[in-house]
Amino acid sequence: MRALFILIALFFSCAAQAERIKDMGQFEGLRANQLTGYGVVVGLAGTGDDSLDYATQGVKGAISRFGVNLPAGINPALKNAAAVVITAELPPFAKPGQRLDVTVSALGKAKSLRGGTLVMAPLYGADGQIYAMAQGNLVVGGLGVDAADGSKLSVNIPSAGRIGSGATVERSVDTGFANSPHLMFNLAQQDISNAGLVADAINRQLGGNIAQAVDGASIRINAPVGGEARIRMMGIIENIEIKKAQPPARVIVNARTGTVVINGAVRVGPAAVSHGKLTVKVDENPTVVQPAPFSRGQTALEPSSDIAIQENTNPAYLWDKGASLSDIVKAINKLNVSPGDLVAILEALSQAGALSAELVVI
């Protein structure tokens, strides 16, 4: 724990470094779009969906493209095939003919997709239009083995895999940024101070009053019409460096893992902290009591308990007014408390009004 808090102190005690605007957010409209599709993976070594209905329908649909129609009432054996869901991400400015990586995940009871091949399947956007076609051999990082006695061994997840460059873009998405009235830059983390700093930095670099902070997350930028002119302006804006404003004082507590993160803006008012631990130990040593010979008595169990109480106390530690993060870390290390006890101390400081920070429990 001591190393953890020292690491946090070193991280936040560094002087504020200039940061590029492109690392603080992105321009509105220039985002990726999610694509999904349904397909069939064939060529499996007996680890497919067996008689799953929608897998059967998928195989029938796939072979019908080649003019093969199965008679009514006859289902193909599908131990070597599996119904899958295909997902991909279409980046901004993607053009027809470019390639995308796809993730293929089993939809039914397929045990493993290792060695399988995805049959050509369309990928749809949120508007229901086809934007890409996927096909190829899967790369599966997992492995699953079943033995005859029912024992199983599984390494990672064998029911999902990827196809590198496995989809071809068929349709591009019009971002509309070239002809929109203005550009909008959105910060990844809402902060009124940073929004003003970004707008001021753009105006200093490009001149005039072309950038205005609309709110704590968005900066509106007046830009010339035309893709080339706007791309050049966006390139200049993204590489402008600014010094970000100091974030709000926060203490983040992960109640599940016991991790505590304190940022550099946290200050502690005058307070004295003393932390002790009470340990109660109960030992049960029951005694077996045997009856006298020929007394027709019964063996009895006589309880015997030993209770010991131990209280470990630490001397009180005094925080001066406006104690910094380094002072807080030194005090925590000196008290030698566990993460769970540290959370209790921070909550007590917050209730006492001595912690000038927002306490967030996740």
Side-chain angles (χ1 to χ4, degrees), residues 137-141 160-164:
N137 299 323
L138 275 74
V139 177
V140 179
R162 287 181 63 84
I163 306 176

Side-chain angles (χ1 to χ4, degrees), residues 176-334:
F177 86 100
N179 300 316
S180 59
H182 50 261
L183 295 175
M184 189 72 74
F185 186 83
N186 298 321
L187 298 176
Q189 295 181 340
Q190 179 177 338
D191 191 291
I192 295 176
S193 300
N194 285 330
L197 291 174
V198 170
D200 292 341
I202 294 173
N203 290 331
R204 285 195 303 269
Q205 181 72 25
L206 301 179
N209 190 32
I210 64 172
Q212 302 90 32
V214 178
D215 51 36
S218 302
I219 298 93
R220 183 175 58 240
I221 305 168
N222 299 326
V225 178
E228 182 179 359
R230 291 197 171 190
I231 286 293
R232 292 183 180 276
M233 172 182 281
M234 291 163 62
I236 295 174
I237 291 174
E238 285 186 336
N239 288 283
I240 298 175
E241 294 186 349
I242 67 170
K243 290 186 177 180
K244 295 175 61 175
Q246 194 173 34
R250 286 195 179 97
V251 177
I252 311 298
V253 178
N254 190 319
R256 296 179 298 276
T257 63
T259 303
V260 180
V261 178
I262 306 172
N263 71 6
V266 173
R267 293 292 183 271
V268 178
V273 177
S274 178
H275 178 73
K277 183 179 293 185
L278 183 66
T279 303
V280 179
K281 184 179 180 181
V282 180
D283 289 332
E284 297 289 350
N285 298 306
T287 303
V288 178
V289 180
Q290 297 287 356
F294 306 105
S295 64
R296 296 186 179 181
Q298 295 182 352
T299 302
L301 191 66
E302 182 178 344
S304 176
S305 302
D306 294 329
I307 301 178
I309 299 177
Q310 180 180 1
E311 184 176 8
N312 299 325
T313 58
N314 292 314
Y317 188 89
L318 178 64
W319 266 307
D320 296 328
K321 182 178 181 180
S324 64
L325 176 60
S326 60
D327 298 326
I328 298 173
V329 172
K330 290 178 182 177
I332 291 170
N333 290 331
K334 190 172 183 180

